[in-house]
Amino acid sequence: MTVKMNKPTIEEILSPKPDARPRIYAYSISDAAHKGLLKVGQTTRDVKLRVAEQLKTAAIKNYTIELNEPATRNDGSILTDHEVRAALVQKGFENTELEWMRCTVANVKTVLAELRTGQRFSGTHHESFGMRDEQADAVNKTFAYYHSIWAENANEAPRFLWNAKMRFGKTFTSYQLAKKLKAKRVLVVTFKPAVEDAWKADLENHTDFDGWQYLSRSSGSDPTQIDRDKPVVYFGSFQDLLGRDTAGNIKARNEWLHTVNWDLVVFDEYHFGAWRDTAKELFEGEDDAVAKKETKLEYASDLDCINEDLTVLSDNENDFLPITTRAYLYLSGTPFKALSTGEFIEEQIFNWTYTDEQRAKESFVTEHPDKRNPYAALPQMRLLTYQMPDELLAIASGGEFDEFDLNAFFEASGTGNSAQFKHKSDVQKWLDIIRGGYATQSAELLKVSTRPPFPYSDARLLPYLQHSFWFLPNVAACHAMANLLTERHNTFWKGYQVIVAAGASAGIGLEALPPVRKAIGSGFDSKTITLSCGKLTTGVTVAQWSSILMLRNLKSPETYFQAAFRVQSPWSIKNPNGDNPHEEEILKPVCFVFDFAPTRALRQLSEYGVGLSPNESNPENAVRDLVAFLPVLAYDGANMTQIDAGGILDIAMAGTSATLLARKWESALLVNVDNGTLRRILDNPEAMAVVARIEGWRSLGDNVIETIINKSEKVKELKKKAKDGNLSIKEKKELSEEEREYKSKRKMLQEKLIKFATRIPAFMYLTDFRENTLQDVITKLEPDLFLTVTGLTVQDFHLLVQLKVFNTEQMNQAVFAFRRYEDASLRYTGIESHSGLTHYGLYDTVVAKD
């Protein structure tokens, strides 16, 4: 079934964040039947109301709530009443029936304390969940492909690729494939040994794999002494398995691997075959010594022993891994190279992308309204990009696309308390901007009817920024940001605990995680900002992170989205009230990526969408599929606009989109309708005659300018009187009516002037002069064409410009955006719009093309 997607509104994209607090409670009933018993349960509602509801039907009134505590561990994860009761049973307390325990309140508190500090009661093969539909599809498609190859040649070792994003459940599903194949010997090989925990946990915790054996170099078991009648999984790294001793021989400890006839070999994190570029980009912000340690930890040791050409595995695996096997399975979340080079053909690939996941989330609601949605807790991502004010763009613009350079803007030096930004005052302005407190911008925005949603100022976004991840260029920038945020004048940020997860002092790899967990706690009452330049961007789940601020340049979409997907971790409470296993309280339905280099961000998005759909001939279709479930809002300095797939590609290719370009000519910033400007028009009879000729002006009524000025002056006087507390009820009503009327008329007048301004792009399309200023084209070169298109003569327009009715600075920007977009768009299609063009004529300025 295909789910038809309706384009969400901006209000829907910025929907409020749910608020729920999980609690563990225990109550007793004062009667003989319940003597010595406690009912241990959970809820996300008020405990008193919840318990009262439970006992109301039984008309029981003699109860006492003995315990009411947060259901969270110290690491922020959610505790369940089932875990509490199971822990009590482990200690020898009787579970008499359902949720009733024979124990004391002190016993429950002891168990809660143990569970909160991270103690786990060991138990194997207790999970019993089945495969989701897509997991079963992956198993069945792979199984069928293998058998189709074996039917032709029983000795062939077929290869299959799972292009599956994180949280697909690749380990569990791989084991299900092995089980369907009746495999007894499974070898899992990876460039990234840090994923071992997942492979071990899934095998040991699920009932489907009871009796299976797990081995690895770290397990300590002798692989030659295993029970050969039971299935075995061995986990190892490419680096270890491919490594040789000083004599060039296979390491002695690995010789047994090469004598086993494996049933299935799984290459995990396959895309990390191109580890060098990925590692370099991910950790390039760290100091050299730390970067080497992080890389070694992330991708294991002995990387230099690996063939440098091993970026994509060859067709014959035996060439680099001398083992025998019946089949190969490749796993990757971003196998762009493998997909683009045609290493795997369509029938050898199973895809499960972010788009597939979110589509399944939507369709499940329609197809199974009475069942718990297994995808419900996976948040939908939203990308919000912001064009910085010109004064900040001037600080750090450059590069191939002459765009805002985040690394240059956030350049810093020094360490610890001495670290400082090179452009500290400008970074401070940026901090003011993202909380909506930048005075210069605020004055400009007064002209625009709606206030754009800045991250730390919009009430809809603030709950999602309670715990955020700021991805900065390097260690110095992280320390400099921490110092700036905690300076005395930055009172807004004092409510946030800032954690620096960068540099040697933060620890290597997962050592950087405990301080973050401690600061976040349950996540309900704390507010945190985690600063990093590479650490904690892979293999880490922090459920409470709901937003990421991209404050550094990233070249590859793989690295960009690897970091962005950190905030897509689910945060929910299953069975929140302990009485309905199909109920789930979603604490994070959506998550946000904020980016301040729009062109680069949307280029990454388009490359990601296109990269995951190499067989799609029209890139717009590939991107459209992605943004259907990843809405994009772009702020251009005046308006927040939702951008579609075509617009994203426009920006990626030409630096702006037609939609945003058009909005520049519809912006309230383009015209001035303040009292000073209106008075200049009113005092000039010729100007009054000109504006009267603008289309639709007469519909505003007689003396509209005079009315606006008079009423606004009267409102000003009444407000001054109101400050002194001398306003009568009648005057208060008059103030309200007068203010409403003059604002309405001013807005209508503004709209008429903007409507006139929107005729100018049509004139630019029609004129063939590109190096002259628009002002010269209008006044000297093609005055008749201007009159035809806009309805005003050159003299009329010139007079309005003289009176500052039009903002020439804003008009220059709008004309430049048009010129650049027009030329770049045509160049992209192979057309040179104007041969030999060396300069762009703006409104009253000429700039060099390059």
Side-chain angles (χ1 to χ4, degrees), residues 647-662:
I648 288 169
L649 287 170
D650 285 346
I651 292 175
M653 294 163 188
T656 187
S657 76
T659 305
L660 289 182
L661 193 67

Side-chain angles (χ1 to χ4, degrees), residues 190-196 235 237 239 272 275 279 282-283 289-303 506-513 534-536 538-540:
T190 182
F191 263 110
K192 196 177 175 188
V195 299
E196 178 175 354
F235 179 95
S237 71
Q239 297 87 317
F272 283 101
W275 58 268
L282 190 61
F283 298 113
V290 174
K292 286 179 181 176
K293 287 180 181 176
E294 291 283 1
T295 304
K296 184 176 179 180
L297 188 69
E298 183 78 7
Y299 304 99
S301 56
D302 304 324
L303 283 173
I508 303 299
L510 292 178
E511 291 175 10
L513 188 56
K535 292 185 200 293
L536 306 182
T538 64
V540 172

Side-chain angles (χ1 to χ4, degrees), residues 1 67 220 620 678 786:
M1 176 181 175
L67 180 138
E620 188 167 338
L678 295 183
F786 186 78

Side-chain angles (χ1 to χ4, degrees), residues 37 274 512 813:
L37 298 178
Q813 288 181 28

Side-chain angles (χ1 to χ4, degrees), residues 447-450 636-642 657-672 747-762 764 806-807 810-811 813-815 817-818:
K447 296 182 178 181
V448 185
S449 57
T450 57
D636 65 355
N639 302 284
M640 201 75 176
T641 307
Q642 187 175 358
S657 76
T659 305
L660 289 182
L661 193 67
R663 291 297 292 267
K664 281 186 177 293
W665 290 95
E666 296 168 7
S667 171
L669 301 178
L670 205 62
V671 299
N672 297 315
K747 193 170 189 310
M748 288 191 291
L749 184 148
Q750 185 183 57
E751 287 170 353
K752 298 301 178 191
L753 290 170
I754 290 172
K755 189 174 181 181
F756 168 79
T758 58
R759 300 285 182 88
I760 295 175
M764 285 191 290
F806 295 103
N807 183 328
Q810 291 288 333
M811 198 168 275
Q813 288 181 28
V815 176
F818 172 88

Side-chain angles (χ1 to χ4, degrees), residues 82 117 129 132 249 342 394 425 451 525 597 607 628 651 823 826:
H82 173 79
T117 55
F129 55 84
R132 298 193 305 270
N249 301 314
S425 296
R451 190 176 182 81
D525 300 307
E607 286 179 14
I651 292 175
D823 196 47
L826 289 171

